[in-house]
Amino acid sequence: MQGQNQQQAYDRGITIFSPDGRLYQVEYAREAVKRGTASVGVRTADGVVLVADRSARSPLMEEDSIEKLHTVDDHVGVASAGHVADARKLVDIARRYAQRNQLRYDEPVGVESLTKEVTDAIQEYTQTGGARPFGVALLFAGIEDGEPRLFETDPSGTPSEWQATAIGNGREQIMTHLEDEYSEDLTLGDGIALALSALAAASEDALDAVNVDVATADAESGVFRKLDREEIQDYVEDLDVDAEETDE
């Protein structure tokens, strides 16, 4: 009975390590991320691409109410996987930090320092009694000193930088596709095509432009922007054409 009570303490308490050094609540938060719809990030020489699966749970749901991509500042944005409400809270933290940096130093916030500010906030919730970890992972994409940067956050509060990565459901399949197809000489357009094809590789259904959001951070202009539906449709149609040619 005593052993069972101890197991429950490890299981429920965020501040208690298990005997093998694990924090179960953090691992459960990672499972929440895995259940979320996928987001993909690809860094190229010309900029960074974020692609997010925004499939609606019901045809009655308003499509514009589904938020998977968020603008943090003119030059940086975020994609999420996991609990959307947790993502919105962390995006608010990122926006406030970006605004403070602009007011204090009169310059855009660095993508790396912005990511670490958010992961510091995430980490606090892994050692605070009466709280729970954030059940979401984020991809930060932006331009810093003219260079494209892509970072991933984890529910443990760990930041990591990537050339290409994915979070959410189907991550293993998406990462396999990215590892096979990624090249450092990709253009920004190539990066969009790669991210879309990687997302399609992990789905049993055909890729639909209505269910995908795409954004880019362009190194030349230094601007983060979301693509409109017509632009996304063009890229999806190009993928369909390439797939048909390959089959033939």
Side-chain angles (χ1 to χ4, degrees), residues 11-17 23-30 85-93 96 116-136 154-158:
D11 194 48
R12 297 174 182 174
I14 188 59
T15 60
I16 303 174
F17 283 100
L23 290 173
Y24 286 110
Q25 290 293 318
V26 172
E27 295 185 14
Y28 297 155
R30 291 193 179 112
D86 288 8
R88 291 178 63 240
K89 177 67 175 179
L90 294 175
V91 169
D92 285 344
I93 292 173
R96 287 196 296 269
K116 289 182 177 180
E117 176 72 14
V118 173
T119 52
D120 283 348
I122 294 172
Q123 192 276 334
E124 288 181 11
Y125 282 77
T126 68
Q127 62 178 53
T128 302
R132 65 160 176 82
F134 287 92
V136 68
D154 177 80
S156 67
T158 303

Side-chain angles (χ1 to χ4, degrees), residues 6-57:
Q6 287 179 341
Q7 176 63 38
Q8 290 177 347
Y10 306 140
D11 194 48
R12 297 174 182 174
I14 188 59
T15 60
I16 303 174
F17 283 100
S18 70
D20 55 353
R22 298 162 62 186
L23 290 173
Y24 286 110
Q25 290 293 318
V26 172
E27 295 185 14
Y28 297 155
R30 291 193 179 112
E31 289 300 318
V33 173
K34 292 180 182 178
R35 293 175 181 269
T37 53
S39 293
V40 183
V42 176
R43 190 183 75 195
T44 73
D46 301 331
V48 192
V49 176
L50 291 179
V51 171
D53 180 353
R54 59 191 294 276
S55 301
R57 297 190 302 271

